[in-house]
C-alpha cells in the first residue's frame, strides 16, 4: 500500500514526479552539524525528535552526528526507529492502553526505551507490561511547564508517581523529568521565548528538588525544541534537548526572530509541485491539502513572485505579484510548507538531493504511525 | 510500511486502538442507498468520488449499489481502484507529465479510463501515451464553472482542445465535459448553492452548444458534489454526478442547510480517541493534527459536553462545557472531523462497525496516492 518513490537516484530535480517532498542535503547537513556542535559546546546532549521527519535514514544520520538517541510521540514511531537500528528511543509523550504498553515493553527487549507518565494508570499499565515482557522501561514524569496540556501540575502528583514507579522495580525505573514548553517554540521574539523557558526552568527545579528530597533521583531532564533549545541549555535545568524541525525547517519557524547565540538554520525541506493550469490571473499547482499541512499557514513560494491564494484538497491556486516570473503548464515550482511535521506526515518519500540531482528517495517509514 | 490495523473483527468499539477512523455501517448504508435512489429517480447516474474515502472496499460497495464507476483526482488513486476491480474510473482532474500519462494509459488496457484536460500540452502527452500503450483514453474538457481554478474559460479554448483530441484518433476521444463548482458545495444556504449551480449550468450549455455546433459530441457532462448534486440533476445540464462525502459526512457538510428534496445524510465517519490526561480544567486526547485535518475547522465532540480548544501535532486539548460528562484517563471519545477527505487521507485503516462491534478494518489503500 506504499506508493512508489517519485524519483530515482541520478534524476535531475526537474524529473521528480509531483507533488513530492524534497530535502536539500547541503542545508540538512549544515543544520545537523551546526545544532549538534552548538549543543555539545553548551555541555548538553541532543535527543533528536523523530516526530518531525519519521524517517529512519534521517534518524541514523542524527545518531551518527552525535545524537544520544531519538525521541518520538507514538509507540508505532518507536517501533519503526528500533527496527531501523536506533538503540535508544524515548516516547516523549504519555501513552494509555494495555496494547500500547505491551508493544512498548516488547521493544525494550532489544533497545533502551523511555516513556513519559502523568497518571497512576499509565504507571500500572507499563509496569504490568514490562514485567510480563521481562524487559525494563525507564519512565520520565512529564511536568506541565505552563502549556496546560499533559503533565503533572504539582509536586505531590509527581511524588505519587515516583512512589508508584518504585513499586514496579526492577521493571520500571525513574529516569527523570520530561519538560517541554511547546507554545514557547513559536513565540516570535527571543525575549518572549526566554521568559517562557525561564518559567519552565523554575518549574523543573521545583519538581526536581521535591523528588530528590524524597530520595528519587532525576538523572535526566529532557525537553526543548528547535525554537528554544539554546535557552534550555543556558538555563542549566535540562540535561538533553529534543529539537526535531532543525534538520528540515518550515515557514513558521523561519518567522521566529533569531535566538541568542543559536546558529541560523537553512530551509532544507521543500515541496515540489507542477503547474497544471496557467492563466494570466492565476495558476494551479498539483498539491493541495493532501500535500501541505495548513495549521500554521499556507505554503510560500520563495523567489517566484507568486503567492498561494488558497488550497483545496488536491490543488493550490497561486496568484502573481508584480515581479512574478512567467509560468507555463508543466513547470515545476518549489514551495516551503507552513509547518514541517504534519506536512512530512502526508508523504511516503522524501527526495534527498544535492547539486540539482536526486541522491536517493528515503522512505518516511513512520508516516501514519498514529498509535 | 503500512501500520497494522487498529482493531480485529468482533472487537467491541471500546477495544479499538486509537486514534482510529470509525465507519458506522448503518449510517454508511443509509447514505449510500438514499443518495443513489434519489439520483436514479432524477434520471441521473452516480459516479462516486473516491478521493473522499480512498478505500477499495467502499468503492466496490458503491458500484454494487448502482454507481456507474468511480472518479478520483490522482493517477495513483486510479491505479488502486483499477487494481481493486473497478472497471470504469475517471480522473476528474487535469494531469500533467509524461510519466503520469503513461501510467494512466497502462490502466486503460484493462479498464475504461477517463481523464480531464484544459490545455493542449495535456492532450499531446495523453495522446502519445495512449498510442504507445495501444489503449484508448476518453477525454473530458474541464470547464471553469466560476471557481477560478482549473478549466477552460472560453469556448474557443474548448474547440481548440476538441480539435486536438481529434488528431489523436483512435487513441483519444472526447467523452464530454467536466464541470465542477467546488465552492458551491459549502455555501450554507440552498439559495446560494442553487444560484451558483444555475450559473455553472448556463456555462455548461454554452460550451456544449459550441462543441456540438462544430460537430463534437458531448455524451457526458459530469460534476457536482455532496453539497449540490440535486441541483445539477434538476438543471438538466449534467448526465452524471460525483458525490464523495455523502457516504462519510463531516462537520462542515453538516453545517449546510438542507437542499431542496435531497435526503438527509447521517454522520457515518468518526475519529475515536483516548483520553490520555484528565484535569478539572481540561482533558487531552491522543489525536492531533496528524489524525484530523483542520482546514475546515476543528473536530467536534457531539453529545459529550466537551469542546476542542486546539490541536497540536499529536494532541487535542478539550475543555468542558456546563453539561460535560466526567472523563477519566483511558476513556474513549468519538469525534466528528471538520473535513472528511483530508482527514481520511491521514489514516491507513477505517474500522467498519455495527451494533457496537467491529465488523472489519478496511485498508485505505489510496491514502497518500499523491501523484
Amino acid at each position: 500500500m506504499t506508493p512508489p518513490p517519485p524519483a530515482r537516484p541520478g534524476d535531475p530535480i526537474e524529473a521528480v514526479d509531483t507533488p513530492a517532498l524534497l530535502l536539500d542535503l547541503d542545508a540538512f547537513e549544515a543544520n545537523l552539524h551546526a545544532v549538534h556542535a552548538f549543543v555539545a559546546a553548551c555541555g548538553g546532549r541532543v535527543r533528536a525528535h523523530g516526530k518531525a521527519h519519521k524517517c529512519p535514514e534521517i534518524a541514523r544520520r542524527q545518531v551518527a552526528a552525535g545524537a544520544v538517541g531519538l525521541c518520538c510521540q507514538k509507540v508505532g514511531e518507536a517501533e519503526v526507529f528500533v527496527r531501523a537500528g536506533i538503540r535508544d528511543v524515548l516516547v516523549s509523550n504519555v501513552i494509555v492502553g494495555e496494547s500500547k504498553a505491551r508493544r512498548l515493553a516488547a521493544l525494550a527487549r532489544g533497545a533502551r526505551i523511555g516513556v513519559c507518565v502523568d497518571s497512576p494508570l499509565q504507571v500500572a499499565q507499563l509496569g504490568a507490561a514490562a514485567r510480563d515482557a521481562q524487559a525494563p522501561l525507564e519512565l520520565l514524569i512529564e511536568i506541565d511547564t505552563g502549556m496546560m496540556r499533559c503533565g503533572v501540575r504539582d509536586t505531590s502528583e509527581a511524588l505519587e508517581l515516583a512512589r508508584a514507579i518504585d513499586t514496579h522495580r526492577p521493571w520500571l525505573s525513574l529516569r527523570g523529568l520530561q519538560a517541554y514548553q511547546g507554545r514557547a517554540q513559536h513565540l516570535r521574539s527571543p525575549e518572549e521565548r526566554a521568559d517562557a523557558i525561564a518559567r519552565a526552568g523554575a518549574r523543573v527545579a521545583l519538581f526536581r528538588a521535591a523528588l530528590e528530597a524524597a530520595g528519587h533521583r532525576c538523572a535526566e531532564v529532557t525537553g526543548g525544541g528547535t525554537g528554544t533549545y539554546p535557552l534550555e541549555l543556558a538555563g542549566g535545568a535540562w540535561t538533553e534537548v529534543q529539537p526535531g524541525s532543525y534538520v528540515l525547517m518550515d515557514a513558521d519557524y523561519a518567522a521566529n526572530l533569531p535566538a541568542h547565540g543559536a546558529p541560523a538554520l537553512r530551509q532544507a525541506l521543500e515541496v515540489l509541485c507542477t503547474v497544471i493550469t496557467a492563466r494570466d490571473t492565476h495558476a494551479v499547482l498539483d498539491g493541495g491539502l493532501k500535500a501541505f499541512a495548513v495549521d500554521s499557514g499556507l505554503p510560500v513560494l520563495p523567489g517566484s513572485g507568486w503567492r498561494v491564494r488558497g488550497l483545496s484538497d488536491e490543488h493550490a491556486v497561486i496568484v502573481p505579484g508584480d515581479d512574478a516570473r512567467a509560468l507555463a503548464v508543466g513547470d515545476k515550482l518549489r514551495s516551503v510548507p507552513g509547518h514541517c511535521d504534519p506536512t512530512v506526515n502526508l508523504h511516503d518519500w522524501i527526495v534527498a538531493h544535492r547539486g540539482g540531482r536526486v541522491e536517493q528517495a528515503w522512505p518516511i517509514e513512520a508516516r501514519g504511525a498514529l498509535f
Side-chain angles (χ1 to χ4, degrees), chain A:
Chain A
M1 286 159 55
T2 300
R8 287 165 306 187
D11 281 350
I13 296 292
E14 296 68 34
V16 175
D17 211 347
T18 62
L21 280 188
L22 302 182
L23 184 72
D24 177 330
L25 281 168
D26 290 334
F28 164 79
E29 290 169 6
N31 293 347
L32 177 69
H33 295 299
V35 169
H36 288 214
F38 181 88
V39 173
C42 295
R45 291 185 293 278
V46 173
R47 178 175 292 281
H49 218 311
K51 84 197 233 341
H53 56 69
K54 290 173 169 271
C55 172
E57 181 60 30
I58 293 178
R60 284 188 288 259
R61 288 172 187 235
Q62 289 174 314
V63 171
V68 294
L70 267 281
C71 49
C72 59
Q73 296 289 88
K74 298 286 180 174
V75 177
E77 293 172 331
E79 288 170 337
V80 168
F81 288 129
V82 170
R83 200 162 61 221
I86 307 299
R87 310 321 302 162
D88 183 339
V89 177
L90 166 66
V91 178
S92 55
N93 192 8
V94 301
I95 63 163
V96 175
E98 291 173 7
S99 157
K100 290 185 173 79
R102 276 197 301 271
R103 288 163 53 209
L104 198 67
L107 291 182
R109 292 204 197 104
R112 182 189 186 211
I113 300 292
V115 63
C116 301
V117 291
D118 72 354
S119 79
L121 177 68
Q122 298 151 6
V123 176
Q125 290 177 339
L126 292 164
R131 185 198 60 226
D132 291 351
Q134 301 278 297
L137 291 170
E138 297 178 24
L139 270 52
L140 293 101
I141 296 172
E142 179 164 356
I143 68 171
D144 183 343
T145 57
M147 280 189 81
M148 293 277 286
R149 200 171 69 179
C150 300
V152 297
R153 290 199 288 192
D154 58 53
T155 54
S156 64
E157 288 181 85
L159 289 165
E160 181 192 354
L161 292 177
R163 285 191 297 268
I165 292 167
D166 273 353
T167 67
H168 292 274
R169 281 185 179 163
W171 304 114
L172 300 186
S173 60
L174 179 66
R175 187 191 294 176
L177 300 176
Q178 162 78 17
Y180 177 62
Q181 196 359 324
R183 283 195 209 160
Q185 305 307 312
H186 306 278
L187 296 172
R188 293 298 174 226
S189 86
E191 293 73 23
E192 288 175 293
R193 296 200 295 278
D195 182 54
I197 299 307
R199 281 183 279 118
R203 300 266 299 160
V204 168
L206 176 74
F207 279 82
R208 185 178 187 144
L211 285 164
E212 292 188 339
H216 304 286
R217 186 160 169 269
C218 289
E220 298 283 356
V221 177
T222 183
T226 296
T228 64
Y229 73 93
L231 299 164
E232 276 91 355
L233 292 168
W238 281 262
T239 60
E240 66 179 27
V241 290
Q242 301 173 351
S245 305
Y246 73 112
V247 286
L248 307 175
M249 289 297 285
D250 57 33
D252 192 53
Y253 265 124
N256 272 9
L257 298 174
H260 314 289
L265 297 174
R266 289 168 58 182
Q267 186 61 44
L269 182 78
E270 295 167 308
V271 179
L272 186 71
C273 289
T274 300
V275 175
I276 57 172
T277 295
R279 302 284 175 194
D280 48 353
T281 50
H282 69 281
V284 183
L285 304 179
D286 63 354
L289 297 169
K290 295 173 185 172
F292 296 97
V294 295
D295 57 279
S296 301
L298 295 172
V300 295
L301 301 159
S304 70
W306 293 75
R307 179 179 62 78
V308 175
R309 189 185 73 193
L311 299 185
S312 46
D313 287 359
E314 291 89 4
H315 302 89
V317 177
I318 65 174
V319 290
D322 292 337
D323 54 346
R325 69 180 173 93
L327 287 181
V329 172
D331 286 352
K332 292 185 176 173
L333 207 55
R334 299 187 192 193
S335 55
V336 174
H339 187 182
C340 56
D341 301 32
T343 296
V344 170
N345 188 51
L346 295 168
H347 295 259
D348 287 277
W349 300 92
I350 185 162
V351 178
H353 65 92
R354 193 186 323 255
R357 294 264 162 194
V358 174
E359 287 206 354
Q360 213 170 357
W362 295 337
I364 303 171
E365 283 185 39
R367 181 222 53 77
L370 278 169
F371 54 86

